[in-house]
């Protein structure tokens, strides 16, 4: 994990906007370099040459020393060759000035060194013309072409030609038609060397500027990446859920602070740890090592809101809701997984406490309500009951039946369907189940002039629990009537395809908004539109119906358009659980 930043970080300056970098590589030698508050603008290469002006001058001085010793050793110098010694002394003076003078304070004066070298070479050549000292002009020529570009190259060639030809002119008989090619060869070669050096220096300068710019951009990008990584680490350490990232080979690459605390509390979650058993959502089924969420995430599997329990039944336990997602790189290749774990112990315990309370209260209400309804039946059976009283008792009985039905729904919803609801499967016929449900609710639809249209021409036998399927169909038809408009239509269809049976219920009612549709199967949920209407309900019917259908191995889905109606689709395998 990256270290937390201790304060605001300042990103490195962008080289593309800094004063010491050219905006165009081709013009790299024309930008300003300032060396003081009153310094003049000079080419950048001159500014850089001041930093190592002693180096080329020292090379030139060494070359002069070598020529001096070779001349003295093999040829000797005429005592009258004053110009030779003057040239050597001038070269030594220029070499001594190179490391002593602070050229960075007056960078334009740096050109004096190669000019002194050119003059010194001319004197040496004039004093001893046979030693080939003219070749030394290569040093100042290359230096001036490198430091001052094409202008420096031209200046060097002009100075060399002037020095060469002037010294020859001082010697009678040296300049003749026969010697003309020899007079041109050396300046021509030096001209090519100077131009080639200037062009190479320009390209090198452009590449240097480009590399500096890229290095600056890379530094900025690196800083930003480090800053983002640091901020991401702070964010992940601030959340109250665990985050673990695995790389593509399943190794743990990152763990946030909450996950570390969780592992300190319950033990290391990694690998197969027999000392840390994990139970499934029901809290009773012990998961095998290969089925543990941590191991599955390392293998690259994806899952969402998988609830597991840590701790043996009967002891203090922790419930975790885990989600695993695969990660992909910029090319779309697999790049590991991220596992998010959230402690949902308090939530699950609160839900169980609520369900227990609701079940207890509902059970206590059911017993006296059943007794009340029984006595109402007895009272209504009295033949001498006045019509006015009979009507009032009938209303009381109707509302009592509705209240009893509501209590039954609450009791059913308060149970864990996956664990306690038992299906009594038998051979049954789906169309007959729908027929009985339609027949029982026909009078309710007739009261609001709602037409029930059937779309089932063939029998659909299946192996299922007819009582529970009747409960599902009753709920869907009841909703189709309650939330329909007066004079509307309710279409009911039964069909089969292969090993799958279908029940389709479509109404022309008020419909459901897109915002409410994801919540339809939540227990006790009722939309704002329904709560503000006179339609009564508990918000449990759809949740219970879907649980029943899923116990059969099928599913219940809803498709709705606000103001147009709703379609419920029940899919059930005909031969058993899928």
């Amino acid at each position: 994990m990256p270290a937390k930043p201790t304060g605001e970080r300042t990103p490195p300056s962008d080289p593309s906007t800094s004063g010491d970098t050219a905006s165009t590589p081709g013009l790299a030698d024309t930008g300003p370099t300032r060396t003081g508050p009153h310094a003049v603008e000079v080419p950048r290469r001159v500014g850089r040459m001041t930093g190592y002006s002693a180096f080329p001058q020292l090379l030139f001085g060494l070359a002069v020393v070598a020529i001096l010793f070779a001349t003295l050793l093999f040829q000797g110098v005429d005592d009258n060759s004053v110009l030779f010694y003057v040239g050597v002394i001038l070269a030594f003076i220029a070499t001594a000035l190179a490391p002593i003078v602070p050229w960075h304070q007056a960078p334009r004066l740096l050109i004096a060194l190669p000019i002194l070298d050119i003059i010194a070479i001319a004197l040496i050549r004039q004093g001893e013309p046979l030693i080939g000292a003219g070749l030394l002009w290569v040093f100042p020529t290359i230096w001036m072409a490198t430091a001052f570009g094409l202008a420096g190259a031209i200046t060097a060639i002009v100075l060399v030609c002037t020095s060469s030809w002037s010294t020859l002119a001082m010697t009678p008989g040296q300049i003749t038609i026969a010697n003309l090619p020899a007079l041109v060869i050396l300046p021509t070669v030096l001209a090519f060397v100077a131009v080639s050096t200037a062009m190479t220096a320009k390209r090198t300068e452009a590449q240097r500027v480009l590399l500096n710019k890229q290095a600056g951009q890379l530094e900025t990008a690196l800083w930003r990446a480090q800053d983002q990584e640091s901020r991401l680490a702070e964010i992940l350490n601030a959340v109250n859920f665990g985050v673990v990232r695995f790389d593509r080979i399943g190794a743990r690459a990152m763990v946030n602070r909450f996950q570390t605390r969780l592992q300190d509390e319950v033990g290391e979650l990694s690998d197969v740890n027999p000392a840390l058993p994990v139970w499934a959502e029901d809290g009773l089924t012990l998961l095998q090592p290969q089925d543990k969420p941590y191991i599955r995430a390392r293998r690259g599997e994806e899952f969402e809101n998988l609830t597991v329990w840590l701790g043996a039944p009967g002891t203090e336990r922790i419930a975790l809701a885990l989600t695993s997602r695969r990660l992909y790189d910029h090319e779309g290749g697999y790049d590991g997984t991220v596992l998010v774990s959230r402690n949902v112990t308090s939530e699950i315990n609160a839900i169980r406490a609520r369900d227990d309370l609701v079940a207890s209260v509902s059970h206590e209400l059911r017993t006296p309500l059943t007794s009340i309804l029984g006595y109402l039946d007895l009272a209504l059976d009295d033949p001498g009951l006045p019509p006015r009283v009979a009507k009032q008792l009938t209303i009381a009985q109707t509302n009592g039946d509705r209240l009893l039905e509501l209590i039954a729904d609450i009791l059913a919803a308060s149970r864990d369907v996956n664990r306690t609801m038992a299906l009594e499967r038998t051979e049954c016929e789906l169309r007959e189940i729908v027929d009985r449900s339609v027949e029982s609710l026909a009078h309710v639809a007739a009261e609001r002039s709602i037409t029930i249209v059937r779309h089932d021409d063939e029998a659909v036998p299946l192996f299922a629990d007819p009582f529970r399927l009747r409960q599902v169909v009753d709920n869907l038809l009841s909703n189709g009537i309650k939330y329909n408009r007066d004079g509307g239509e309710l279409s009911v269809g039964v069909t089969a395809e292969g090993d799958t049976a279908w029940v389709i219920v479509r109404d022309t009612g008020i419909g459901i908004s897109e915002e409410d549709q994801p919540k339809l199967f939540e227990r006790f949920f009722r939309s704002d539109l329904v709560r503000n209407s006179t339609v009564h309900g508990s918000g449990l019917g759809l949740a219970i119906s879907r649980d029943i259908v899923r116990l059969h191995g099928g599913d219940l889905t809803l498709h709705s358009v606000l103001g147009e109606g709703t379609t419920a689709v029940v899919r059930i395998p005909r031969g058993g659980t899928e």
Side-chain angles (χ1 to χ4, degrees):
M1 295 291 292
K4 291 185 177 180
T6 57
E8 292 295 330
R9 301 174 62 187
T10 303
S13 60
D14 189 348
S16 61
T17 59
S18 60
D20 61 351
T21 304
S23 59
T24 305
L27 302 178
D29 58 344
T30 62
T33 298
R34 297 184 180 274
T35 58
H38 304 289
V40 296
E41 294 186 357
V42 295
R44 287 191 184 88
R45 285 180 295 194
V46 177
R48 287 196 310 279
M49 286 296 291
T50 60
Y52 55 93
S53 57
F55 180 69
Q57 185 62 43
L58 290 176
L59 289 180
F60 173 73
L62 290 176
V64 172
V65 171
I67 289 178
L68 176 61
F69 276 102
T71 302
L72 293 176
L73 181 63
F74 298 105
Q75 177 179 327
V77 180
D78 190 356
D79 294 339
N80 296 325
S81 300
V82 179
L83 293 179
F84 176 84
Y85 290 107
V86 172
V88 171
I89 294 173
L90 186 59
F92 288 165
I93 292 174
T95 303
L97 291 176
I100 296 175
V101 176
W103 300 104
H104 63 277
Q105 295 182 4
R108 286 191 176 275
L109 296 181
L110 182 64
I111 198 172
L113 291 180
I115 291 176
L116 290 177
D117 292 342
I118 292 175
I119 296 174
I121 295 170
L123 294 175
I124 294 173
R125 186 168 179 264
Q126 181 66 21
E128 291 292 337
L130 299 179
I131 62 176
L135 295 176
L136 293 176
W137 273 322
V138 172
F139 286 94
T141 300
I142 293 177
W143 189 2
M144 293 181 68
T146 302
F148 300 96
L150 188 60
I154 295 175
T155 302
I157 296 304
V158 171
L159 291 176
V160 168
C161 291
T162 302
S163 301
S164 175
W165 293 341
S166 62
T167 55
L168 291 176
M170 295 171 60
T171 304
Q174 290 294 325
I175 301 179
T176 62
I177 298 298
N179 293 335
L180 189 59
L183 298 175
V184 177
I185 289 176
L186 181 59
T188 302
V189 171
L190 292 177
F192 280 107
V193 171
V195 172
S196 176
T197 302
M199 294 178 63
T200 301
K202 189 172 183 178
R203 286 195 300 268
T204 303
E205 172 68 11
Q207 292 175 355
R208 186 197 68 83
V209 172
L210 181 60
L211 288 175
N212 286 344
K213 184 176 181 180
Q214 292 175 344
Q217 292 174 344
L218 181 61
E219 183 181 1
T220 301
L222 178 61
W223 176 87
R224 289 174 179 170
Q226 291 175 342
D227 186 67
Q228 290 177 356
E229 185 178 2
S230 228
R231 293 180 185 274
L232 178 61
E234 286 186 339
I235 294 173
L236 292 178
N237 286 331
V239 299
N240 61 346
F241 52 83
V243 180
V244 183
R245 183 186 180 278
F246 302 100
D247 59 22
R248 64 187 63 188
I249 63 173
R252 189 168 59 184
M254 186 275 294
V255 180
N256 74 334
R257 186 175 298 148
F258 185 90
Q259 182 71 22
T260 302
R261 289 201 303 264
L262 178 64
Q263 294 181 173
D264 291 340
E265 293 176 7
V266 301
E268 179 63 38
L269 298 177
S270 61
D271 300 325
V272 182
N273 185 3
L276 184 65
V278 179
W279 278 265
E281 184 175 3
D282 58 8
L284 300 175
T285 305
L286 185 63
L287 294 179
Q288 297 299 317
Q290 67 272 14
D291 296 328
K292 292 182 179 180
Y294 199 98
I295 307 301
R296 292 176 57 188
R298 290 185 57 186
R299 293 198 301 261
E301 296 185 25
E302 289 188 327
F303 46 85
E304 184 173 0
N305 288 331
L306 177 64
T307 302
V308 297
W309 288 89
L310 304 179
T315 63
E316 186 175 354
R317 315 179 77 186
I318 294 179
L320 296 178
L322 301 107
T323 298
S324 174
R325 287 287 181 271
R326 294 169 65 94
L327 302 176
Y328 300 93
D329 56 23
H330 64 283
E331 296 180 350
Y334 173 68
D335 196 32
T337 55
V338 59
L339 178 66
V340 179
S341 56
R342 187 167 58 91
N343 191 336
V344 293
T345 309
S346 300
E347 299 177 22
I348 293 180
N349 290 337
I351 292 174
R352 288 182 175 179
R354 183 202 65 184
D355 291 342
D356 291 342
L357 176 63
V358 170
S360 177
V361 172
S362 300
H363 180 74
E364 294 300 326
L365 291 175
R366 187 175 189 176
T367 301
L369 183 59
T370 303
S371 177
I372 292 172
L373 290 175
Y375 278 103
L376 286 174
D377 286 336
L378 292 176
L380 288 172
D381 290 340
D382 186 359
L385 193 66
R388 180 170 173 272
V389 176
K391 181 179 179 180
Q392 293 174 346
L393 292 178
T394 302
I395 294 174
Q397 185 184 43
T398 301
N399 286 278
D401 289 336
R402 178 175 165 273
L403 183 58
L404 185 62
E405 181 182 354
L406 179 61
I407 292 174
D409 286 345
I410 295 176
L411 287 173
S414 64
R415 295 194 300 263
D416 187 349
V417 177
N418 291 320
R419 186 174 56 191
T420 60
M421 181 181 292
L423 297 180
E424 297 181 3
R425 300 177 185 270
T426 183
E427 297 290 341
C428 57
E429 208 277 303
L430 186 57
R431 189 176 63 175
E432 291 182 0
I433 296 174
V434 175
D435 287 342
R436 290 194 295 269
S437 180
V438 171
E439 182 179 354
S440 65
L441 294 172
H443 69 284
V444 181
E447 292 176 357
R448 299 182 55 195
S449 302
I450 296 175
T451 304
I452 300 180
V453 181
R454 299 294 302 275
H455 298 282
D456 40 21
D457 298 330
E458 58 180 355
V460 180
L462 73 165
F463 185 75
D465 187 333
F467 175 79
R468 295 299 183 184
L469 291 185
R470 170 67 186 275
Q471 186 178 351
V472 173
V473 176
D474 283 348
N475 178 261
L476 296 180
L477 293 180
S478 176
N479 288 343
I481 295 172
K482 285 192 298 184
Y483 303 116
N484 213 326
R485 56 182 175 82
D486 293 342
E489 182 178 287
L490 180 64
S491 301
V492 184
V494 177
T495 185
E497 182 179 351
D499 294 333
T500 304
W502 307 81
V503 179
I504 303 173
V505 180
R506 181 182 295 110
D507 64 60
T508 57
I510 59 177
I512 307 165
S513 66
E514 293 184 2
E515 294 79 10
D516 290 335
Q517 289 184 29
K519 308 174 185 177
L520 288 176
F521 295 102
E522 294 180 5
R523 296 181 180 184
F524 302 102
F525 172 77
R526 301 188 76 211
S527 66
D528 294 336
L529 182 62
V530 173
R531 284 200 301 267
N532 296 330
S533 67
T534 58
V535 180
H536 300 285
S538 62
L540 296 171
L542 285 177
I544 296 174
S545 297
R546 189 176 69 168
D547 288 341
I548 293 173
V549 175
R550 287 185 171 179
L551 279 176
H552 283 82
D555 201 5
L556 168 61
T557 57
L558 291 179
H559 310 277
S560 183
V561 177
L562 188 63
E564 297 184 8
T566 303
T567 301
V569 179
V570 178
R571 176 182 59 84
I572 303 178
R574 301 176 65 181
T577 303
E578 289 182 337

